Amino acid sequence: MKTKIVTVIGARPQIIKSSAISRAIRNKYHDKLEEVIVHTGQHYDDNMSQVFFVELNIPSPKYNLKIGSASHAVQTAEMMKGLEDVFKKEQPQAVILYGDTNSTLAGATVASKMDIPVVHVESGLRSYNKAMPEEINRIVSDHLSTLLFTPTELGVANLKKEGFNLENNAPYNIDNPKVHYCGDVMYDNSLHFAELAMKKETVLTDYNLVEGTFILCTLHRPANTDSPERLANILEALVHISTKGKEVIVPLHPRTRKFINETLDKKLLDEIENTDTIKLIDPVSFLNITALEQKCAFIITDSGGLQKEAYFFQKPSIILRAETEWMEIVANGNATLVDADKQRIIEAAYTYLNGVEMEFPNFYGNGKAAEFICDQLIALA
Ligand code: UD1
């Protein structure tokens, strides 16, 4: 008998993460696992959603709840209503959730109350900063899960601190969950798509970028985008760093674009728009971002995903936050936490521009996290 799983995705990073398990099912587990995909519609612009289904070959969602943007409560509540209907109809053996978004929280709350085992991929990560909505989503989702797959050793240690029993070999359920360290499905993806990205990329040529010289920057955390002061500090630092031959390319999340247009000082905005050393562009596809990551000098970001992908491709990163869930790369000297401090961003950038010797030990598994997870899912049947 096939194990039937419902996969809940909604935001850009989850769509990308889910492709690793969908690929493993297609290639190796199609006679053992049946996957039904639900898209909550949290991200809805084509370049935040549809583009990834096409280029990563993800099966079309059977359901799209089309929830879109709203306050946290309204967005999560609408998702919960829609997901309850889907779970009732599909009666899956498990629900798979990724990461820490409102889509994850909605899925975990509904499935656990319907007595459907929750499988949380990318569990155990903590920033220890509950001002981040993602931290709340992570904690709740982990504590409602039956199977927890952590991408790092640190994730396992964090769960242990919260009372998870790591030696649990009894039959597992929500009261007796099972924690597995399996590596990062995003490492699977970066390895899988690295070469194809270089073959298919258009972004380097489109923007006249020279390998090894430019800086890739992304910015979307509400803590940075919604504070005019922090947003201005970061952009001023980029203006300071960028020169001809050291261009900064910034694929902009729609949230960031909105705040730049609405709140940024007009003089600074003009300065950015009139220079060709800072390139503010629309969000790019996964293959294009993967190409940029492989060919840049280093990365400046507040995204959890980008700092790690920098590491996968042996690039340093400057993290525009006070803390990170991926502390191992900071502790190992591959990334620097600078918050939104203009001076610290500039100093870190000069350090990396001058070149620093660093090692990149393997923190994120063997590139087969998705297969490991599928093996555990089969056992649920
Ligand atoms: C969400 C996740 C965050 C993740 C991020 C990745 C939560 C709480 N946050 O943040 O963890 O890192 O996705 O991108 O779930 N918008 C569009 N088009 C879109 C999507 C969003 O214009 O396709 C704009 C809207 O103005 C919206 C804003 O972006 O209000 C925020 O979108 P939302 O999904 O609420 O959160 P993200 O900031 O994307």
Side-chain angles (χ1 to χ4, degrees):
M1 191 184 77
K2 282 193 190 184
T3 307
K4 182 176 188 179
I5 54 172
V6 167
T7 297
V8 178
I9 51 181
R12 173 173 61 179
Q14 319 179 287
I15 299 169
I16 299 169
K17 284 169 201 165
S18 75
S19 72
I21 289 185
S22 298
R23 187 168 63 247
I25 294 175
R26 185 169 61 245
N27 292 342
K28 194 170 162 191
Y29 296 89
H30 49 90
D31 54 350
K32 298 204 175 84
L33 291 172
E34 177 192 350
E35 182 182 37
V36 173
I37 299 176
V38 191
H39 192 328
T40 62
Q42 178 168 353
H43 286 172
Y44 43 88
D45 286 348
D46 276 356
N47 59 14
M48 295 291 287
S49 172
Q50 185 54 24
V51 61
F52 304 106
F53 286 91
V54 177
E55 78 175 4
L56 306 184
N57 201 5
I58 304 170
S60 293
K62 182 166 173 189
Y63 303 90
N64 189 328
L65 306 179
K66 301 203 167 140
I67 306 298
S69 306
S71 71
H72 282 260
V74 170
Q75 189 181 53
T76 312
E78 293 292 331
M79 288 174 186
M80 287 173 69
K81 283 204 289 195
L83 288 173
E84 186 176 53
D85 290 342
V86 172
F87 297 165
K88 260 191 207 150
K89 207 160 153 210
E90 294 293 337
Q91 299 283 326
Q93 263 116 357
V95 166
I96 304 199
L97 305 169
Y98 292 89
D100 54 19
T101 71
N102 290 343
S103 301
T104 319
L105 174 68
T109 313
V110 175
S112 59
K113 288 195 172 181
M114 292 176 76
D115 207 16
I116 303 168
V118 171
V119 177
H120 190 201
V121 179
E122 211 184 63
S123 76
L125 299 180
R126 297 291 181 266
S127 64
Y128 297 102
N129 172 7
K130 290 202 187 96
M132 293 176 74
E134 292 85 356
E135 183 75 352
I136 294 174
N137 294 344
R138 290 180 194 122
I139 294 170
V140 176
S141 303
D142 278 342
H143 285 264
L144 296 178
S145 292
T146 287
L147 270 177
L148 296 92
F149 292 101
T150 84
T152 58
E153 304 269 14
L154 187 57
V156 179
N158 290 338
L159 291 173
K160 189 175 177 192
K161 274 196 247 167
E162 289 175 22
F164 282 86
N165 170 10
L166 304 180
E167 271 78 53
N168 173 23
N169 288 316
Y172 36 81
N173 56 50
I174 187 169
D175 292 313
N176 198 26
K178 177 79 184 164
V179 175
H180 290 282
Y181 162 60
C182 65
D184 190 342
V185 288
M186 280 311 295
Y187 187 47
D188 298 16
N189 278 336
S190 287
L191 289 182
H192 184 81
F193 288 110
E195 207 176 311
L196 185 65
M198 291 323 305
K199 272 196 207 130
K200 287 208 157 170
E201 70 84 16
T202 51
V203 70
L204 270 90
T205 31
D206 287 352
Y207 293 96
N208 259 328
L209 297 168
V210 177
E211 176 172 353
T213 64
F214 66 90
I215 299 158
L216 170 62
C217 174
T218 74
L219 183 59
H220 79 281
R221 294 265 159 221
N224 287 332
T225 56
D226 305 15
S227 153
E229 198 193 333
R230 290 173 68 94
L231 186 60
N233 282 347
I234 294 166
L235 292 168
E236 280 171 14
L238 298 186
V239 169
H240 188 98
I241 298 160
S242 70
T243 56
K244 200 153 178 33
K246 292 191 181 61
E247 285 83 5
V248 182
I249 184 157
V250 196
L252 280 181
H253 189 292
R255 163 196 284 287
T256 318
R257 171 73 75 187
K258 179 169 161 257
F259 281 99
I260 286 181
N261 290 342
E262 286 173 7
T263 68
L264 203 66
D265 173 64
K266 180 89 179 59
K267 192 163 154 264
L268 180 57
L269 185 57
D270 283 349
E271 194 174 351
I272 293 171
E273 280 177 345
N274 292 328
T275 160
D276 51 6
T277 58
I278 297 188
K279 299 167 194 286
L280 302 186
I281 66 170
D282 284 338
V284 297
S285 72
F286 185 68
L287 293 183
N288 275 332
I289 200 89
T290 304
L292 289 170
E293 289 162 355
Q294 290 180 81
K295 296 295 175 192
C296 69
F298 60 89
I299 293 178
I300 303 179
T301 189
D302 61 7
S303 147
L306 263 282
Q307 42 185 285
K308 214 166 11 102
E309 288 158 28
Y311 188 88
F312 298 160
F313 295 119
Q314 309 212 334
K315 306 284 177 183
S317 58
I318 296 174
I319 303 172
L320 301 167
R321 289 176 47 196
E323 75 286 301
T324 175
E325 302 77 36
W326 308 99
M327 257 322 279
E328 53 283 319
I329 63 174
V330 176
N332 196 55
N334 310 98
T336 311
L337 288 167
V338 293
D339 209 353
D341 183 320
K342 180 177 163 188
Q343 212 42 46
R344 283 164 67 194
I345 300 169
I346 294 170
E347 274 164 28
Y350 283 136
T351 306
Y352 291 147
L353 282 169
N354 287 333
V356 187
E357 283 288 310
M358 46 179 83
E359 312 242 312
F360 293 85
N362 185 352
F363 293 134
Y364 300 104
N366 61 2
K368 293 194 182 305
E371 289 187 19
F372 180 93
I373 293 169
C374 288
D375 283 330
Q376 310 309 313
L377 293 176
I378 291 168
L380 288 170

